[in-house]
């Protein structure tokens, strides 16, 4: 790759010039779309339980939650297709107008979720339209980030691309923080009942203000100097998709960017911010408002480190910082999440140590508990009934294979429980005898768990107490990993590809890595935990992905910090 001095905006000597007002405007305007992206992300993630009740009311609670996460994930699944569509347009007609269109589509889709009637009002049309809006938004998001990162990087002075593009990564986290504060404020003001009935819609409706400001600012922006120069010289690509993916020289870099950088960055990002919140509220049963505040504080404390690592990457390189973040995640996720359990819910940690739960069953009688479309009546064996009841209680358990034909037993410490062997179902309902037997088992299980010290929910964590700061400190470490992998990534992706096909080339690996490997993380990890029973089991997904990415990145991905992007038309 070229390493000559920049032809456009590099000072040959003297002290670095301060950021100009135009450069500040470029960064601010470009970052607003990223704020939108993560504001919406956390709305869906934090409100998944409410969305499940509103739009997937026909399913049981566990399936509702999984279905709502999959509806949330639908937008991430289509993001790479949006990257192809809008990346192509961005490389042909320009960066500015392309991501002006993407933010309009994205913003209106978010707003309309707040107006969409629920399942009780329009039936199956409700989840179908919800998924449709998520798909529209995902397509728009596929063109948003690549345009913003490319636009800022092509305005940045040589030697400062890491620092400048890190602002985009910073405002992503601020978008998450904004959503947390909006949810917390509205929920506190309305109360849990009104918020659950209709108040959850307000954060989606409020996004129209972000949209208005974003469009107004972006209309006043100029095209990026690199694209402008390329257009004046007649070097604009006429077939960006063919050049980007049909020629092995560039396609190879796309694959290396995905498997050696972005898929690991995606799972570390989503684990450190979204999965941490899910783990606190679902597995550890911490009060959601308390969990949101602790996550919010950790984000505020960690946000400056996006700039720290982005700026540092201009000096020592992008690759070592990104790979170090992945390696730390691989080595420490299990100890950190174990420490979170002890700190946030010490009663639960003690109960798990003194009265472990074990399900002993014939494996042939156990179904996959992570199904997004199954209801309670689809699980009729003793094994399924036991695991469904434990999952509904957010109780972590171990599995032990029993001999073929053996009845299922549940051990809570030294107490043995036997679930109903086989429930009878007619017209999608348990018969009366089966229903009573299952209800009796659930009550017996709940009483046994309580007697063994398993708390129904975590005790309140006093604000600013030692316990509170311990949890925030552990969350802060997870956010630091996020800043390491995410802070320098935009600059590195921009530097990997030539200007004429940069938008297209960088957008696809970014959105596969973040949209598929990262965006599907909540659904995959929840299904893994539901299927296996151990509340830490879902961590294997980000750990394995990050480990594979680390090895590929270490061996095959080149360093890019000294690349002259203006010499790469």
């Amino acid at each position: 790759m070229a390493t000559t001095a920049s032809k456009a905006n590099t000072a040959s000597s003297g002290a670095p010039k301060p950021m100009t007002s135009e450069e500040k405007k470029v960064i601010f305007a470009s970052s607003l779309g990223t704020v939108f992206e993560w504001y919406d992300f956390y709305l869906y993630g934090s409100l998944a339980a409410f969305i499940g009740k509103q739009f997937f009311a026909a399913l049981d609670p566990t399936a509702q939650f999984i279905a709502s996460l999959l509806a949330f994930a639908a937008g991430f699944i289509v993001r790479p297709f949006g990257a192809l569509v809008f990346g192509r347009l961005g490389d042909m007609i320009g960066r500015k107008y392309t991501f002006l269109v993407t933010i309009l589509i994205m913003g209106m889709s978010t707003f309309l979720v707040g107006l969409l009637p629920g399942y009780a009002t329009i039936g199956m049309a409700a989840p179908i339209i919800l998924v449709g809006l998520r798909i529209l938004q995902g397509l728009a998001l596929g063109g948003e980030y690549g345009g913003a990162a490319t636009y800022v990087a092509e305005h940045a002075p040589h030697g400062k691309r890491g620092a400048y593009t890190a602002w985009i990564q910073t405002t992503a986290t601020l978008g998450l923080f904004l959503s947390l504060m909006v949810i917390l404020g509205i929920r506190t003001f309305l109360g849990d009942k009104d918020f659950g009935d209709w108040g959850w819609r307000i954060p989606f409706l409020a996004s129209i203000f972000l949209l208005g400001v974003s469009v107004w600012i972006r209309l006043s922006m100029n095209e990026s100097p690199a694209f402008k120069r390329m257009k004046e010289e007649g070097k604009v690509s006429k077939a960006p998709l063919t050049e980007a993916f049909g020629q092995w020289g560039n396609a190879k870099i796309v694959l290396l960017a995905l498997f050696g950088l972005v898929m690991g960055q995606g799972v570390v990002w989503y684990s450190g911010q979204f999965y941490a919140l899910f783990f606190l509220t679902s597995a550890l049963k911490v009060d959601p408002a308390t969990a949101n505040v602790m996550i919010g504080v950790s984000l505020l404390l960690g946000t400056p480190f996006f700039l720290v690592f982005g700026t540092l990457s201009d000096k020592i390189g992008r690759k070592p910082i990104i790979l170090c973040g992945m390696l730390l995640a691989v080595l420490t996720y299990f100890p950190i999440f174990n420490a979170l359990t002890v700190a946030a819910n010490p009663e639960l940690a003690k109960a798990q140590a003194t009265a472990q739960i074990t399900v002993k069953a014939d494996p042939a009688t156990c179904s996959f508990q992570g199904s997004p479309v199954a209801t309670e009546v689809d699980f009729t064996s003793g094994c399924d009934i036991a695991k469904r009841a434990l999952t509904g209680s957010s109780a972590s358990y171990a599995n032990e294979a029993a001999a073929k034909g053996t009845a299922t037993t549940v051990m809570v410490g030294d107490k043995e429980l036997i679930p109903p062997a086989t429930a009878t179902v007619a017209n999608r309902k348990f018969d009366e005898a089966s229903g009573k037997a299952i209800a009796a088992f659930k009550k017996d299980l709940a009483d046994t768990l309580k007697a063994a010290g398993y708390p129904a929910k975590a005790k309140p964590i006093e604000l600013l107490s030692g316990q509170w700061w311990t949890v925030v400190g552990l969350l802060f470490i997870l956010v630091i990993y996020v800043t390491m992998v995410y802070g320098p990534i935009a600059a590195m992706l921009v530097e990997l590809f030539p200007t004429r096909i940069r938008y297209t080339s960088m957008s696809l690996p970014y959105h596969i890595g973040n949209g598929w490997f990262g965006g599907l993380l909540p659904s995959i990890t929840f299904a893994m935990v539901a299927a296996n029973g151990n509340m830490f089991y879902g961590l294997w997904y980000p750990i394995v992905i990050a480990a594979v990415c680390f090895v590929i990145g270490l061996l095959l991905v080149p360093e890019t910090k000294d690349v002259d992007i203006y010499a790469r038309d």
Side-chain angles (χ1 to χ4, degrees):
M1 294 186 179
T3 58
T4 58
S6 172
K7 298 176 183 178
N9 49 4
T10 304
S12 58
S13 62
K17 294 181 179 179
M19 192 182 295
T20 66
S21 59
E22 179 63 23
E23 289 169 343
K24 291 177 182 177
K25 179 180 176 182
V26 164
I27 292 172
F28 178 68
S30 301
S31 299
L32 280 177
T34 320
V35 172
F36 238 139
E37 178 177 354
W38 300 114
Y39 176 82
D40 174 71
F41 168 77
Y42 245 101
L43 290 187
Y44 270 92
S46 300
L47 302 176
F50 298 99
I51 291 173
K53 291 177 182 177
Q54 291 287 333
F55 296 100
F56 302 98
L59 305 176
D60 75 11
T62 300
Q64 279 180 11
F65 190 70
I66 295 175
S68 64
L69 287 178
L70 287 177
F72 158 63
F76 291 92
I77 293 172
V78 301
R79 278 169 64 166
F81 302 102
L84 294 176
V85 173
F86 292 108
R88 177 178 179 273
L89 291 175
D91 281 329
M92 293 180 69
I93 68 173
R95 290 45 166 135
K96 171 186 173 179
Y97 293 106
T98 301
F99 66 85
L100 179 61
V101 172
T102 60
I103 203 168
L104 278 169
I105 297 173
M106 183 168 57
M108 290 307 300
S109 299
T110 302
F111 176 73
L112 289 174
V113 170
L115 299 177
L116 181 61
Y119 184 89
T121 304
I122 59 175
M124 281 301 297
I128 292 172
I129 296 172
L130 176 69
V131 171
L133 289 173
R134 287 295 295 156
I135 289 173
L136 271 179
Q137 188 175 61
L139 291 171
L141 283 173
E144 174 62 32
Y145 180 86
T150 300
Y151 191 79
V152 171
E154 291 178 350
H155 277 85
H158 186 75
K160 287 189 175 182
R161 280 190 296 274
Y164 276 44
T165 56
W167 283 96
I168 301 177
Q169 324 302 75
T170 300
T171 28
T173 299
L174 292 178
L176 302 184
F177 179 78
L178 175 63
S179 69
L180 287 174
M181 294 303 100
V182 169
I183 291 170
L184 181 62
I186 294 172
R187 189 168 186 170
T188 302
F189 179 77
L190 294 178
D192 288 343
K193 184 181 184 303
D194 285 343
F195 185 83
D197 290 342
W198 56 270
W200 64 271
R201 297 178 179 274
I202 296 176
F204 289 97
L205 297 174
S207 68
I208 197 71
F209 298 106
L210 279 174
L211 175 62
V213 173
S214 299
V215 171
W216 175 64
I217 292 177
R218 287 191 176 188
L219 283 171
S220 65
M221 292 164 61
N222 297 314
E223 186 54 82
S224 91
F227 183 85
K228 200 179 207 179
R229 182 169 70 95
M230 187 177 64
K231 188 174 182 179
E232 290 170 353
E233 295 174 358
K235 296 180 179 179
V236 174
S237 175
K238 294 180 172 57
L241 296 181
T242 301
E243 286 190 47
F245 312 118
Q247 299 176 8
W248 175 241
N250 198 75
K252 178 178 68 175
I253 302 299
V254 170
L255 293 174
L256 288 177
L258 172 59
F259 295 112
L261 290 173
V262 189
M263 74 172 184
Q265 169 259 302
V267 295
V268 172
W269 204 107
Y270 284 71
S271 297
Q273 297 189 158
F274 177 74
Y275 187 72
L277 176 63
F278 163 73
F279 187 80
L280 283 174
T281 55
S282 180
L284 303 185
K285 307 173 188 178
V286 174
D287 173 66
T290 301
N292 281 343
V293 170
M294 292 190 295
I295 288 282
V297 171
S298 70
L299 291 176
L300 275 186
L301 294 174
T303 292
F305 288 87
F306 284 108
L307 298 177
V308 170
F309 289 118
T311 303
L312 185 62
S313 76
D314 286 328
K315 296 177 173 59
I316 69 171
R318 329 292 188 202
K319 178 176 169 178
I321 297 173
I322 294 171
L323 295 186
C324 183
M326 291 183 201
L327 183 61
L328 287 171
V330 169
L331 296 177
T332 64
Y333 266 1
F334 276 117
I336 288 175
F337 279 86
N338 272 286
L340 270 177
T341 303
V342 174
N345 195 337
E347 291 78 15
L348 176 61
K350 181 180 178 182
Q352 289 176 336
T354 58
Q356 184 179 18
I357 303 170
T358 304
V359 177
K360 300 179 181 180
D362 174 3
T365 66
C366 302
S367 304
F368 176 59
Q369 297 290 310
S371 171
V373 295
T375 64
E376 190 174 29
V377 296
D378 293 305
F379 300 97
T380 59
S381 71
C383 176
D384 287 347
I385 290 169
K387 289 187 175 183
R388 206 69 174 171
L390 287 167
T391 300
S393 301
S394 298
S396 185
Y397 59 89
N399 293 283
E400 185 176 316
K404 185 176 181 180
T406 304
T408 298
T409 59
V410 178
M411 299 297 300
V412 182
D414 58 1
K415 175 72 179 290
E416 181 180 83
L417 303 175
I418 301 177
T422 304
T424 303
V425 178
N427 298 320
R428 301 296 296 169
K429 292 183 179 180
F430 288 122
D431 68 3
E432 185 176 355
S434 295
K436 287 182 178 179
I438 293 170
F441 169 72
K442 288 182 176 179
K443 183 179 184 306
D444 194 13
L445 176 64
D447 293 340
T448 303
L449 290 174
K450 183 177 180 181
Y454 282 86
K457 60 181 180 179
K459 288 184 178 179
I461 300 175
E462 185 179 348
L463 183 67
L464 303 181
S465 64
Q467 181 188 15
W468 191 90
W469 279 114
T470 299
V471 175
V472 170
L474 291 166
L475 295 173
F476 172 73
I477 294 172
L478 295 176
V479 174
I480 289 298
Y481 297 168
V482 172
T483 63
M484 293 179 73
V485 299
Y486 199 55
I489 197 75
M492 190 162 192
L493 289 175
V494 166
E495 291 160 349
L496 280 171
F497 303 104
T499 305
R500 59 190 285 112
I501 53 172
R502 179 172 293 138
Y503 199 150
T504 303
S505 297
M506 73 164 287
S507 292
L508 186 65
Y510 175 83
H511 288 294
I512 292 178
N514 283 273
W516 291 1
F517 289 97
L520 293 176
L521 183 143
S523 304
I524 292 172
T525 52
F526 184 83
M528 288 173 67
V529 170
N532 178 270
N534 189 303
M535 68 181 184
F536 299 107
Y537 189 71
L539 291 172
W540 280 114
Y541 173 72
I543 286 173
V544 170
I545 295 296
V548 171
C549 192
F550 172 82
V551 172
I552 295 174
L554 181 67
L555 298 177
L556 300 175
V557 175
E559 180 53 64
T560 64
K561 80 177 180 69
D562 294 321
V563 167
D564 175 16
I565 64 173
Y566 294 93
R568 305 194 68 229
D569 292 341

